[in-house]
Amino acid sequence: MNPVARAEALFRATFGADPARVASAPGRVNLIGEHVDYHGGHVLPVAIAERTAVAVGSLAGRFVAVSEHGSRAEFGWPVQRAGQWSDYVAGVAQLLAAQVSAAPDGLAVAVSSDVPLGAGVSSSAALEVAAAAALASWWGLGTDPRAVAAIAHRAETEFVGVPCGVMDQMASAMAPEGSALLINCATLEVRPVPVAADLVLVDSGESHALRAGAYAERRREGEAALARLRSADPALEHLVDLAPGRLHEVLKSLPAPLDRRVRHVVEENQRVLRATDALVAGQFRAFGKLVDASHNSLRDLYECSTARLDQIVAAARGIPGVLGARLVGAGWGGSVLVVVVPGRGDDVARRLAGGAGGRPNAARRVKVGYAATVNR
Ligand code: GLA
């Protein structure tokens, strides 16, 4: 059964009634453009085929959320942050309830998902966006995908308290079927970009215990660099607005490690634009080289890789048919994306799973999916 049918069945079994709405949303894999979304840069994610479904209905005076893994969260209404998975739904519900004139006084939720957890494919954004699409539709707030992404992003930053950029929620709410989505994170303009290369994802299996603290530290470093550069150039809005031609000179004015962080952000943003042109022109080798350069920069300048991620990248790069490989998402664990000559993806996934690089890897071919939908 697909997650939508499973969420509906779980809702009925738990609450003894049909859900009022069911919506589903995908996880994402970012092809290139890492750690630039919160600096106003460009990113190029695809939706993956795996989706999370959220079924919702009325419940007087309480918030009850169940997941198909047997977890049940029960709170009063309005619901407070509890430090667990249900916060992603509760955050969206609180923000949307504030926009409804006859405010709801409770909520029943059932969640079902095929999106792997902790693998760097943004299971949290899939959950938030599916919840936002279901509730906004049910409560008559419309399902404009930009508004859905914005509510999901606010739930993550304001309610859950993770200072992430807008990429994951935008990708889950808006990525077109079968294509990547070029997002300008400063203006939120989007453009579909065809992806004909095969994609393989390798899960490092590393926990992301480090990730939250390190991510926030990188954001602080970026803000500190921007504040310094603004004292010389008050008109500078985002780090990505630094002209690449002036970068060398600008970096000399920054102390380490801020110089490395800024260099990554500016060059990574340029790589996204060049990678988009390469994909549009069908130049897979050029695209693969940019993917490789992205990993090297994340490893050496942004310092968010791990020995295990580097080992998987090196193993992948040694396999015939591989065009490029890099860590995806925030880093410090998660997954490696391997870009492969069209038609060779299954073979490369098999070789990585079979122990290329000295040990078996959790490798699988990525199927490109599509944005959030209201299913019922
Ligand atoms: C996480 C965040 C995104 C983005 C990436 C790094 O996935 O949620 O907003 O910053 O890290 O590119």
Side-chain angles (χ1 to χ4, degrees), residues 298-323:
L298 290 161
R299 180 192 61 206
D300 301 336
L301 300 178
Y302 219 69
E303 296 174 279
C304 61
S305 189
T306 63
R308 176 77 186 123
L309 289 167
D310 292 344
Q311 189 186 38
I312 296 169
V313 165
R317 287 176 181 173
I319 299 175
V322 169
L323 297 164

Side-chain angles (χ1 to χ4, degrees), residues 58-63 75-78 104-107:
S58 315
L59 194 67
R62 284 178 307 149
F63 172 90
F75 303 101
W77 184 268
D105 70 340
L107 188 64

Side-chain angles (χ1 to χ4, degrees), residues 24-355:
S24 61
R28 64 93 189 96
V29 170
N30 188 22
L31 300 185
I32 192 162
E34 225 63 90
H35 289 287
V36 295
D37 61 348
Y38 51 87
H39 287 302
H42 294 78
V43 295
L44 191 62
V46 294
I48 59 174
E50 288 83 1
R51 299 174 80 80
T52 295
V54 175
V56 293
S58 315
L59 194 67
R62 284 178 307 149
F63 172 90
V64 176
V66 292
S67 88
E68 63 185 342
H69 306 300
S71 173
R72 179 186 173 99
E74 180 156 2
F75 303 101
W77 184 268
V79 44
Q80 305 296 315
R81 182 173 176 272
Q84 60 175 44
W85 68 273
S86 56
D87 285 349
Y88 296 111
V89 182
V92 164
Q94 288 308 305
L95 288 165
L96 286 176
Q99 298 179 17
V100 179
S101 47
D105 70 340
L107 188 64
V109 181
V111 175
S112 171
S113 182
D114 288 335
V115 180
L117 300 179
V121 294
S122 215
S123 53
S124 56
L127 178 53
E128 290 155 353
V129 169
L135 291 175
S137 161
W138 179 29
W139 292 342
L141 299 168
T143 51
D144 169 50
R146 264 198 188 74
V148 165
I151 283 290
H153 181 246
R154 281 184 60 200
E156 177 109 24
T157 54
E158 295 172 23
F159 191 87
V160 180
V162 176
C164 66
V166 294
M167 168 170 71
D168 305 340
Q169 292 80 12
M170 285 284 290
S172 185
M174 299 190 74
E177 177 146 27
S179 293
L181 189 70
L182 177 67
I183 307 169
N184 176 335
C185 298
T187 62
L188 299 187
E189 280 164 319
V190 297
R191 183 185 134 193
V193 176
V195 190
D198 282 2
L199 306 173
V200 170
L201 204 62
V202 189
D203 189 344
S204 70
E206 285 178 319
S207 94
H208 38 165
L210 237 178
R211 215 175 282 172
Y215 186 89
E217 183 188 23
R218 288 292 176 279
R219 286 207 65 156
R220 282 196 300 275
E221 288 169 345
E223 276 148 28
L226 185 60
R228 278 171 175 265
L229 295 172
R230 270 191 190 144
S231 61
D233 177 3
L236 183 69
E237 197 176 344
H238 299 292
L239 286 183
V240 295
D241 299 335
L242 287 167
R246 276 190 54 221
L247 187 60
H248 187 66
E249 171 204 327
V250 167
L251 293 180
K252 280 197 279 189
S253 71
L254 291 172
L258 303 191
D259 54 350
R260 297 199 289 278
R261 310 295 187 245
V262 171
R263 184 173 160 204
H264 166 78
V265 170
V266 175
E267 292 180 349
E268 179 78 352
N269 185 51
Q270 294 300 313
R271 276 191 287 272
V272 178
L273 300 175
R274 297 199 338 248
T276 300
D277 291 344
L279 282 175
V280 169
Q283 293 164 349
F284 296 126
R285 285 190 193 283
F287 175 64
K289 285 208 169 72
L290 292 161
V291 167
D292 278 343
S294 170
H295 181 78
N296 299 349
S297 178
L298 290 161
R299 180 192 61 206
D300 301 336
L301 300 178
Y302 219 69
E303 296 174 279
C304 61
S305 189
T306 63
R308 176 77 186 123
L309 289 167
D310 292 344
Q311 189 186 38
I312 296 169
V313 165
R317 287 176 181 173
I319 299 175
V322 169
L323 297 164
R326 66 175 203 87
L327 71 84
V328 280
W332 298 286
S335 292
V336 167
L337 168 69
V338 185
V339 180
V340 183
V341 166
R344 303 278 293 276
D346 287 328
D347 181 44
V348 167
R350 251 193 313 275
R351 291 187 62 163
L352 281 161

